[in-house]
Amino acid sequence: QVQLVESGGGLVQAGDSLRLSCAASGRTLSSYDMGWFRQAPGKEREFVAAVSRGGSNTYYADSVKGRFTVSRDNAKNTVSLQMNTLKPEDTAVYYCAASVYYSPYGAKNLYDYWGQGTQVTVSS
């Protein structure tokens, strides 16, 4: 079992950048494909980005493509989400998740472990 803890959220203005981190304990992250999801008030949790075990393959939701970058450092057991040119519609709680499956992409039900989330608020 792996425990995930997100950090790096905050209140920023539109156009600013934030970098979210997800730290793992319990097991090495190299055993999992990793994903980032977000949930805005009153909305379903949606896929943001995913990265394969080795970090060579990444996938993004169309809404963040070109603005967000997902990466991982298996030696440090961390996954990051660099968010640039933030928009008010990016406001949400952001979650990292770990999957034992290969290429789970945006399928929430294929992720086995979830963090508690970190709030990102983008003001206009």
Side-chain angles (χ1 to χ4, degrees):
Q1 188 162 340
V2 62
Q3 292 79 43
L4 304 172
V5 178
E6 303 93 338
S7 62
L11 172 62
V12 297
Q13 293 188 331
D16 285 351
S17 298
L18 270 179
R19 187 176 181 86
L20 306 183
S21 293
C22 174
S25 60
R27 289 196 67 181
T28 175
L29 273 186
S30 60
S31 300
Y32 303 94
D33 274 32
M34 298 297 296
W36 285 95
F37 291 78
R38 66 187 182 187
Q39 188 166 18
K43 294 189 177 181
E44 298 227 349
R45 192 169 299 188
E46 65 175 4
F47 171 71
V48 175
V51 59
S52 60
R53 279 158 169 77
S56 58
N57 296 317
T58 56
Y59 313 94
Y60 298 94
D62 287 343
S63 59
V64 306
K65 205 171 290 184
R67 298 188 298 122
F68 290 12
T69 303
V70 60
S71 60
R72 65 191 298 160
D73 186 337
N74 287 338
K76 295 182 178 180
N77 240 21
T78 60
V79 179
S80 298
L81 184 69
Q82 177 67 41
M83 306 186 295
N84 297 330
T85 318
L86 283 161
K87 304 176 181 180
E89 51 263 44
D90 295 318
T91 295
V93 177
Y94 283 71
Y95 300 89
C96 70
S99 174
V100 300
Y101 296 92
Y102 288 86
S103 303
Y105 301 105
K108 293 190 295 288
N109 59 307
L110 295 184
Y111 287 83
D112 305 276
Y113 304 103
W114 294 80
Q116 293 299 305
T118 185
Q119 176 70 47
V120 172
T121 303
V122 184
S123 64
S124 57

mmCIF file of all heavy atoms in Angstrom, residues 51-74:
data_model
loop_
_atom_site.group_PDB
_atom_site.id
_atom_site.type_symbol
_atom_site.label_atom_id
_atom_site.label_comp_id
_atom_site.label_asym_id
_atom_site.label_seq_id
_atom_site.Cartn_x
_atom_site.Cartn_y
_atom_site.Cartn_z
ATOM 1 N N VAL A 51 1.216 10.151 -15.879
ATOM 2 C CA VAL A 51 2.585 9.872 -16.295
ATOM 3 C C VAL A 51 2.868 8.394 -16.037
ATOM 4 O O VAL A 51 2.442 7.832 -15.022
ATOM 5 C CB VAL A 51 3.582 10.792 -15.550
ATOM 6 C CG1 VAL A 51 3.494 10.632 -14.051
ATOM 7 C CG2 VAL A 51 5.008 10.568 -16.026
ATOM 8 N N SER A 52 3.560 7.781 -16.977
ATOM 9 C CA SER A 52 3.867 6.357 -16.871
ATOM 10 C C SER A 52 4.939 6.104 -15.817
ATOM 11 O O SER A 52 5.578 7.036 -15.309
ATOM 12 C CB SER A 52 4.336 5.831 -18.226
ATOM 13 O OG SER A 52 5.502 6.532 -18.656
ATOM 14 N N ARG A 53 5.128 4.844 -15.504
ATOM 15 C CA ARG A 53 6.041 4.465 -14.436
ATOM 16 C C ARG A 53 7.441 5.055 -14.581
ATOM 17 O O ARG A 53 8.021 5.550 -13.614
ATOM 18 C CB ARG A 53 6.146 2.930 -14.365
ATOM 19 C CG ARG A 53 5.018 2.268 -13.630
ATOM 20 C CD ARG A 53 4.888 0.820 -14.042
ATOM 21 N NE ARG A 53 3.991 0.054 -13.207
ATOM 22 C CZ ARG A 53 2.670 0.123 -13.280
ATOM 23 N NH1 ARG A 53 2.102 0.966 -14.115
ATOM 24 N NH2 ARG A 53 1.928 -0.629 -12.491
ATOM 25 N N GLY A 54 7.967 4.989 -15.781
ATOM 26 C CA GLY A 54 9.321 5.487 -16.004
ATOM 27 C C GLY A 54 9.392 6.973 -16.290
ATOM 28 O O GLY A 54 10.486 7.552 -16.330
ATOM 29 N N GLY A 55 8.228 7.576 -16.520
ATOM 30 C CA GLY A 55 8.180 9.006 -16.778
ATOM 31 C C GLY A 55 8.281 9.383 -18.244
ATOM 32 O O GLY A 55 8.210 10.564 -18.589
ATOM 33 N N SER A 56 8.404 8.396 -19.118
ATOM 34 C CA SER A 56 8.618 8.724 -20.534
ATOM 35 C C SER A 56 7.329 9.063 -21.268
ATOM 36 O O SER A 56 7.368 9.716 -22.313
ATOM 37 C CB SER A 56 9.316 7.557 -21.234
ATOM 38 O OG SER A 56 8.548 6.380 -21.100
ATOM 39 N N ASN A 57 6.196 8.603 -20.758
ATOM 40 C CA ASN A 57 4.910 8.863 -21.407
ATOM 41 C C ASN A 57 4.025 9.713 -20.503
ATOM 42 O O ASN A 57 3.861 9.414 -19.325
ATOM 43 C CB ASN A 57 4.195 7.555 -21.725
ATOM 44 C CG ASN A 57 4.964 6.726 -22.738
ATOM 45 O OD1 ASN A 57 5.465 7.254 -23.722
ATOM 46 N ND2 ASN A 57 5.068 5.431 -22.488
ATOM 47 N N THR A 58 3.483 10.764 -21.088
ATOM 48 C CA THR A 58 2.582 11.640 -20.353
ATOM 49 C C THR A 58 1.301 11.855 -21.146
ATOM 50 O O THR A 58 1.308 11.747 -22.382
ATOM 51 C CB THR A 58 3.235 13.004 -20.067
ATOM 52 O OG1 THR A 58 3.653 13.593 -21.306
ATOM 53 C CG2 THR A 58 4.429 12.864 -19.139
ATOM 54 N N TYR A 59 0.210 12.153 -20.437
ATOM 55 C CA TYR A 59 -1.096 12.338 -21.049
ATOM 56 C C TYR A 59 -1.776 13.501 -20.346
ATOM 57 O O TYR A 59 -1.629 13.678 -19.137
ATOM 58 C CB TYR A 59 -1.930 11.065 -20.891
ATOM 59 C CG TYR A 59 -1.168 9.811 -21.243
ATOM 60 C CD1 TYR A 59 -0.508 9.085 -20.257
ATOM 61 C CD2 TYR A 59 -1.083 9.361 -22.560
ATOM 62 C CE1 TYR A 59 0.224 7.944 -20.572
ATOM 63 C CE2 TYR A 59 -0.368 8.223 -22.868
ATOM 64 C CZ TYR A 59 0.289 7.519 -21.876
ATOM 65 O OH TYR A 59 1.009 6.404 -22.192
ATOM 66 N N TYR A 60 -2.539 14.278 -21.117
ATOM 67 C CA TYR A 60 -3.165 15.462 -20.563
ATOM 68 C C TYR A 60 -4.601 15.592 -21.028
ATOM 69 O O TYR A 60 -4.963 15.221 -22.143
ATOM 70 C CB TYR A 60 -2.405 16.714 -21.000
ATOM 71 C CG TYR A 60 -0.970 16.756 -20.505
ATOM 72 C CD1 TYR A 60 0.065 16.284 -21.295
ATOM 73 C CD2 TYR A 60 -0.679 17.255 -19.244
ATOM 74 C CE1 TYR A 60 1.374 16.305 -20.840
ATOM 75 C CE2 TYR A 60 0.629 17.291 -18.776
ATOM 76 C CZ TYR A 60 1.646 16.812 -19.571
ATOM 77 O OH TYR A 60 2.939 16.841 -19.117
ATOM 78 N N ALA A 61 -5.407 16.184 -20.169
ATOM 79 C CA ALA A 61 -6.738 16.598 -20.595
ATOM 80 C C ALA A 61 -6.578 17.759 -21.568
ATOM 81 O O ALA A 61 -5.648 18.562 -21.454
ATOM 82 C CB ALA A 61 -7.559 17.026 -19.382
ATOM 83 N N ASP A 62 -7.496 17.853 -22.506
ATOM 84 C CA ASP A 62 -7.408 18.918 -23.506
ATOM 85 C C ASP A 62 -7.408 20.296 -22.850
ATOM 86 O O ASP A 62 -6.764 21.227 -23.344
ATOM 87 C CB ASP A 62 -8.573 18.811 -24.483
ATOM 88 C CG ASP A 62 -8.423 17.639 -25.436
ATOM 89 O OD1 ASP A 62 -7.297 17.116 -25.566
ATOM 90 O OD2 ASP A 62 -9.434 17.242 -26.035
ATOM 91 N N SER A 63 -8.108 20.411 -21.729
ATOM 92 C CA SER A 63 -8.249 21.719 -21.086
ATOM 93 C C SER A 63 -6.938 22.242 -20.493
ATOM 94 O O SER A 63 -6.819 23.438 -20.226
ATOM 95 C CB SER A 63 -9.310 21.633 -19.989
ATOM 96 O OG SER A 63 -8.947 20.658 -19.023
ATOM 97 N N VAL A 64 -5.958 21.360 -20.290
ATOM 98 C CA VAL A 64 -4.700 21.803 -19.670
ATOM 99 C C VAL A 64 -3.503 21.597 -20.585
ATOM 100 O O VAL A 64 -2.387 22.017 -20.246
ATOM 101 C CB VAL A 64 -4.450 21.089 -18.333
ATOM 102 C CG1 VAL A 64 -5.643 21.248 -17.408
ATOM 103 C CG2 VAL A 64 -4.109 19.621 -18.540
ATOM 104 N N LYS A 65 -3.725 20.976 -21.718
ATOM 105 C CA LYS A 65 -2.622 20.686 -22.634
ATOM 106 C C LYS A 65 -1.925 21.980 -23.037
ATOM 107 O O LYS A 65 -2.573 22.962 -23.397
ATOM 108 C CB LYS A 65 -3.170 19.942 -23.857
ATOM 109 C CG LYS A 65 -2.163 19.075 -24.569
ATOM 110 C CD LYS A 65 -2.863 18.223 -25.617
ATOM 111 C CE LYS A 65 -3.737 17.160 -25.001
ATOM 112 N NZ LYS A 65 -4.350 16.257 -26.012
ATOM 113 N N GLY A 66 -0.604 21.972 -22.963
ATOM 114 C CA GLY A 66 0.176 23.153 -23.310
ATOM 115 C C GLY A 66 0.406 24.111 -22.155
ATOM 116 O O GLY A 66 1.251 25.007 -22.240
ATOM 117 N N ARG A 67 -0.347 23.924 -21.050
ATOM 118 C CA ARG A 67 -0.177 24.799 -19.876
ATOM 119 C C ARG A 67 0.377 24.031 -18.678
ATOM 120 O O ARG A 67 1.110 24.590 -17.873
ATOM 121 C CB ARG A 67 -1.523 25.422 -19.490
ATOM 122 C CG ARG A 67 -2.125 26.290 -20.557
ATOM 123 C CD ARG A 67 -3.364 27.032 -20.030
ATOM 124 N NE ARG A 67 -4.426 26.129 -19.619
ATOM 125 C CZ ARG A 67 -4.951 26.110 -18.393
ATOM 126 N NH1 ARG A 67 -4.514 26.936 -17.463
ATOM 127 N NH2 ARG A 67 -5.939 25.256 -18.108
ATOM 128 N N PHE A 68 0.006 22.768 -18.550
ATOM 129 C CA PHE A 68 0.420 21.943 -17.408
ATOM 130 C C PHE A 68 1.446 20.910 -17.867
ATOM 131 O O PHE A 68 1.379 20.415 -18.994
ATOM 132 C CB PHE A 68 -0.774 21.201 -16.801
ATOM 133 C CG PHE A 68 -1.767 22.063 -16.082
ATOM 134 C CD1 PHE A 68 -1.745 23.454 -16.176
ATOM 135 C CD2 PHE A 68 -2.758 21.478 -15.300
ATOM 136 C CE1 PHE A 68 -2.676 24.241 -15.509
ATOM 137 C CE2 PHE A 68 -3.700 22.243 -14.623
ATOM 138 C CZ PHE A 68 -3.657 23.629 -14.745
ATOM 139 N N THR A 69 2.359 20.593 -16.956
ATOM 140 C CA THR A 69 3.353 19.559 -17.226
ATOM 141 C C THR A 69 3.464 18.630 -16.023
ATOM 142 O O THR A 69 3.698 19.101 -14.895
ATOM 143 C CB THR A 69 4.727 20.179 -17.515
ATOM 144 O OG1 THR A 69 4.625 21.078 -18.617
ATOM 145 C CG2 THR A 69 5.735 19.091 -17.854
ATOM 146 N N VAL A 70 3.296 17.341 -16.261
ATOM 147 C CA VAL A 70 3.429 16.340 -15.199
ATOM 148 C C VAL A 70 4.799 15.693 -15.315
ATOM 149 O O VAL A 70 5.299 15.447 -16.421
ATOM 150 C CB VAL A 70 2.301 15.287 -15.280
ATOM 151 C CG1 VAL A 70 2.314 14.537 -16.600
ATOM 152 C CG2 VAL A 70 2.372 14.344 -14.095
ATOM 153 N N SER A 71 5.420 15.445 -14.169
ATOM 154 C CA SER A 71 6.724 14.792 -14.145
ATOM 155 C C SER A 71 6.853 13.976 -12.871
ATOM 156 O O SER A 71 6.033 14.113 -11.955
ATOM 157 C CB SER A 71 7.851 15.828 -14.241
ATOM 158 O OG SER A 71 7.789 16.732 -13.152
ATOM 159 N N ARG A 72 7.865 13.148 -12.821
ATOM 160 C CA ARG A 72 8.071 12.336 -11.632
ATOM 161 C C ARG A 72 9.557 12.139 -11.377
ATOM 162 O O ARG A 72 10.375 12.179 -12.308
ATOM 163 C CB ARG A 72 7.367 10.984 -11.777
ATOM 164 C CG ARG A 72 7.900 10.105 -12.861
ATOM 165 C CD ARG A 72 6.963 8.909 -13.093
ATOM 166 N NE ARG A 72 6.842 8.070 -11.903
ATOM 167 C CZ ARG A 72 5.824 7.212 -11.709
ATOM 168 N NH1 ARG A 72 4.854 7.098 -12.610
ATOM 169 N NH2 ARG A 72 5.780 6.467 -10.616
ATOM 170 N N ASP A 73 9.874 11.920 -10.115
ATOM 171 C CA ASP A 73 11.240 11.606 -9.713
ATOM 172 C C ASP A 73 11.154 10.363 -8.847
ATOM 173 O O ASP A 73 10.872 10.456 -7.641
ATOM 174 C CB ASP A 73 11.856 12.777 -8.946
ATOM 175 C CG ASP A 73 13.322 12.567 -8.625
ATOM 176 O OD1 ASP A 73 13.773 11.400 -8.594
ATOM 177 O OD2 ASP A 73 14.021 13.548 -8.384
ATOM 178 N N ASN A 74 11.353 9.229 -9.448
ATOM 179 C CA ASN A 74 11.189 7.973 -8.710
ATOM 180 C C ASN A 74 12.222 7.829 -7.600
ATOM 181 O O ASN A 74 11.963 7.174 -6.590
ATOM 182 C CB ASN A 74 11.249 6.791 -9.667
ATOM 183 C CG ASN A 74 9.991 6.669 -10.512
ATOM 184 O OD1 ASN A 74 8.926 7.167 -10.152
ATOM 185 N ND2 ASN A 74 10.097 6.009 -11.646
#
